[in-house]
Amino acid sequence: EARVLHLLGQVCGSLHEAHSAGLIHRDIKPGNLFLCERGGVPDTVKVLDFGLVGRASGTHGKAPAEAELPDTSRFLGTPLYMAPETIRQHGFGDARTDIYAVGAVGYMLLTGEPVFDGEDHTVIWQKHLTAAPVPPSMRATRNLSPEVERLILACLAKDPAERPQSVAELAAVLLAC
C-alpha cells in the first residue's frame, strides 16, 4: 500500500505540471507509467505518452449528465481507465478526468484487477457510467487501510464534483495516508 501511494504521488506531481499549463493527459494507465531508477533511487515514475493530451474543457466545468453511450468511433483513451464524463461527451475533460484515471490505476495496483471489465469496450464504458466499483478491500490480497480505500473510491466517483478537485489536493491526501 505504501509503495502504491508513493507511485501515485509522483503521478500527481507530473500531472500537476500539465494541469498548471491547462493540459489534461487523457490516457493515464499503467502502460503509460514507466518505473525506473533515477540516481540510484528506485520506483521513480515517468508519465509517458502525452499523445492524447488536450486542453481542459474549462476549469471545473459541468460534466455532461446524460447516461447514454455516444458514437464510440471517436474515443480517445483506454476504456479501463476512462472517466464517465469523457465517455458521455468525447473530448470533455478537466483535471478531475485525470484524477479518475489515477484512481483506476491505484485500484489496479492495489487489487491486481481493473475497476471494471467486460467482453467489449461498450460493456466497460457502461459500467464506468453506471456501476459502483467493488471496494478494493474486497478484491485485494492484502489488508488495505480504510483511508486509502476511501481515497481510491473518491477518485472513482461518477460525479467529478465528488472527486478530489485537483492533483495537488489528491497528492496531499496521498501523503497524509
Side-chain angles (χ1 to χ4, degrees):
E1 183 177 290
R3 184 177 186 205
V4 170
L5 296 175
H6 172 69
L7 298 174
L8 294 179
Q10 291 179 71
V11 173
C12 287
S14 182
L15 288 174
H16 179 70
E17 287 187 51
H19 294 171
S20 294
L23 303 173
I24 54 171
H25 188 282
R26 298 197 303 192
D27 199 22
I28 295 295
K29 62 183 178 182
N32 286 341
L33 304 176
F34 184 74
L35 278 182
C36 61
E37 185 175 304
R38 182 173 178 223
V41 178
D43 283 350
T44 299
V45 177
K46 292 186 179 191
V47 177
L48 304 177
D49 195 1
F50 279 77
L52 297 181
V53 74
R55 291 261 170 220
S57 298
T59 305
H60 301 267
K62 186 165 174 59
E66 61 277 359
E68 296 177 23
L69 287 175
D71 171 19
T72 59
S73 64
R74 305 174 320 175
F75 274 100
L76 298 173
T78 303
L80 292 174
Y81 303 93
M82 288 177 72
E85 62 272 18
T86 343
I87 297 167
R88 287 188 200 104
Q89 182 178 326
H90 168 71
F92 183 88
D94 60 21
R96 299 167 301 173
T97 303
D98 283 343
I99 289 169
Y100 185 93
V102 170
V105 167
Y107 191 101
M108 171 65 93
L109 291 173
L110 291 167
T111 67
E113 299 179 42
V115 179
F116 301 113
D117 60 4
E119 58 272 2
D120 62 38
H121 294 11
T122 305
V123 171
I124 295 168
W125 285 323
Q126 193 62 47
K127 289 179 181 179
H128 279 292
L129 288 170
T130 61
V134 173
S137 60
M138 295 182 72
R139 292 176 131 184
T141 57
R142 297 180 178 174
N143 290 334
L144 297 178
S145 68
E147 296 82 15
V148 170
E149 181 164 86
R150 276 193 299 274
L151 180 59
I152 295 297
L153 292 174
C155 290
L156 295 171
K158 305 293 183 211
D159 181 352
E162 295 176 9
R163 296 181 204 141
Q165 297 299 291
S166 70
V167 289
E169 178 185 333
L170 176 56
V173 178
L174 286 166
L175 186 60
C177 288

